[in-house]
Amino acid sequence: PLKEETKMNAEPEKKFGVVVVGVGRAGSVRIRDLRNPQPSSAFLNLIGFVSRRDLGSIDEVQQISLEDALSSQEVEVAYICSESTSHEDYIRKFLNAGKHVLVEYPMTLSLAAAQELWELAEQKGKVLHEEHIELLMEEFAFLKKEVVGKELLKGSLLFTAGPLEKERFGFPAFSGISRLTWLVSLFGELSLVSATLEERKEDQYMKMTVHLETENKCPLSWIEEKGPGLKRNRYLSFHFKSGSLENVPNVGVNKNIFLKDQNIFVQKLLGQFSEKELAAEKKRILHCLSLAEEIQKYCLPKK
């Protein structure tokens, strides 16, 4: 949530020129939010979009080449909404060109790359922001309230969905990093106990089972299961000393979560986040990427 609505409502002295890279689901929503009259959108000016497809224009927004986006003085911000495997390359290019970057999660598919890009952002004095809309969902707000002050005994989170292309979205621990982010945000830093991956490529089926534990040694399991006919769903079960939580009740529609994320990004551009808040967020993101990488190594031992 915006800490100081008033600051956003002030007439902006300056607008940051934005280009959206990738116009799939996330990119299309980003373009829509940038064009709507919103407090944070008043600080941003959508200049165009970059796509590998030849689209010309979308809703009167012009397509521009990657080269033009990188070299244009007008473009100060890039929203990276392409498939995960291309994030690292785009972030590096835009930071090197002196632009601020907002990127959909996961920012990279390796911990070392993320650390290196964050250092580059710091050297260039630019904001590098990784979107985490899952932390802006109503369900997460409900869970956060439910978990506060309770002592966990054990827990599990299962996510099911249709098949996903690993070539575009990376290993399941990275493509599913939002679930890991939930667990870390609810229960603190975790350590990996074990992980397995069951795959039947011919059936487009995959099941990753991860056993984690909290700093107090409470077991948490995380399962990603994807295959034809599996509906997009989250099943969770947390057992506390004081009772259990089995699944999240229907807590309402997740309204404008990409817009809420944009508000956070604009606050960072305006320098409205403390060093402490930024450091805590970076620590959490790197911890999740580090766990995802460890899980991948566990599941895919070197031949």
Side-chain angles (χ1 to χ4, degrees):
L2 285 177
K3 288 180 297 192
E4 297 177 44
E5 291 284 352
T6 49
K7 280 196 184 174
M8 279 282 181
N9 293 337
E11 196 50 46
E13 288 163 30
K14 151 179 196 357
K15 286 188 174 213
F16 294 86
V18 182
V19 67
V20 175
V21 181
V23 285
R25 192 181 68 92
S28 305
V29 175
R30 294 289 188 186
I31 288 174
R32 182 198 70 197
D33 287 346
L34 282 160
R35 298 184 74 219
N36 281 351
Q38 305 289 350
S40 61
S41 304
F43 291 84
L44 303 164
N45 172 32
L46 177 57
I47 286 168
F49 69 88
V50 173
S51 175
R52 283 195 304 253
R53 294 173 290 165
D54 192 7
L55 299 168
S57 68
I58 297 173
D59 296 333
E60 297 165 30
V61 181
Q62 292 306 308
Q63 179 165 0
I64 59 175
S65 71
L66 177 62
E67 291 66 32
D68 286 351
L70 290 166
S71 63
S72 166
Q73 294 295 302
E74 242 188 312
V75 173
E76 293 162 275
V77 169
Y79 280 16
I80 301 191
C81 312
S82 54
E83 62 269 15
S84 311
T85 43
S86 63
H87 288 179
E88 180 187 335
D89 184 43
Y90 280 132
I91 296 171
R92 186 173 281 111
K93 283 187 169 127
F94 280 100
L95 286 177
N96 275 322
K99 321 288 187 194
H100 300 284
V101 173
L102 173 153
V103 61
E104 307 300 334
Y105 71 76
M107 60 191 280
T108 60
L109 299 178
S110 87
L111 176 65
Q115 286 168 321
E116 186 195 323
L117 291 172
W118 237 307
E119 277 166 27
L120 179 59
E122 279 162 23
Q123 279 164 19
K124 298 275 183 186
K126 296 297 162 191
V127 172
L128 172 54
H129 168 80
E130 184 186 28
E131 162 271 299
H132 276 286
I133 51 168
E134 76 280 13
L135 298 179
L136 304 171
M137 291 177 164
E138 299 295 336
E139 295 95 322
F140 182 75
F142 168 84
L143 280 178
K144 196 83 177 147
K145 278 209 274 294
E146 282 295 308
V147 162
V148 164
K150 291 184 181 168
E151 199 180 325
L152 182 73
L153 298 174
K154 62 174 185 173
S156 69
L157 172 59
L158 159 67
F159 179 76
T160 61
L164 192 66
E165 296 167 58
K166 218 156 59 178
E167 291 65 40
R168 294 175 61 206
F169 298 98
F171 187 76
F174 285 98
S175 60
I177 207 161
S178 66
R179 265 73 70 191
L180 196 50
T181 304
W182 263 28
L183 294 175
V184 167
S185 301
L186 291 171
F187 303 112
E189 294 204 345
L190 304 172
S191 48
L192 178 63
V193 178
S194 67
T196 54
L197 180 70
E198 179 195 340
E199 249 185 322
R200 295 196 303 276
K201 287 199 170 120
E202 65 285 359
D203 300 332
Q204 290 184 288
Y205 176 82
M206 169 304 287
K207 184 178 183 181
M208 179 184 75
T209 306
V210 180
H211 294 288
L212 301 152
E213 60 180 25
T214 65
E215 287 180 331
N216 296 336
K217 303 284 181 226
C218 296
L220 275 174
S221 64
W222 166 36
I223 299 165
E224 292 275 306
E225 189 174 17
K226 296 190 172 150
L230 285 176
K231 286 204 165 47
R232 215 182 148 76
N233 227 324
R234 266 189 216 88
Y235 305 91
L236 53 85
S237 157
F238 298 137
H239 297 277
F240 303 97
K241 265 198 167 151
S242 56
S244 294
L245 177 65
E246 301 280 347
N247 291 318
V248 179
N250 196 345
V251 284
V253 189
N254 290 308
K255 279 203 200 81
N256 295 330
I257 44 182
F258 282 97
L259 183 61
K260 287 176 185 169
D261 177 69
Q262 176 175 287
N263 293 346
I264 293 168
F265 177 62
V266 167
Q267 285 183 313
K268 289 180 182 178
L269 289 178
L270 299 176
Q272 293 174 7
F273 265 73
S274 70
E275 288 299 320
K276 195 178 164 191
E277 289 169 298
L278 292 170
E281 183 188 56
K282 178 178 168 182
K283 190 176 178 218
R284 185 203 73 229
I285 289 171
L286 291 176
H287 175 62
C288 290
L289 286 170
S290 156
L291 278 174
E293 190 166 272
E294 243 186 295
I295 292 165
Q296 181 175 353
K297 283 179 185 157
Y298 226 100
C299 291
L300 306 172
K302 292 271 187 289
K303 296 285 181 286

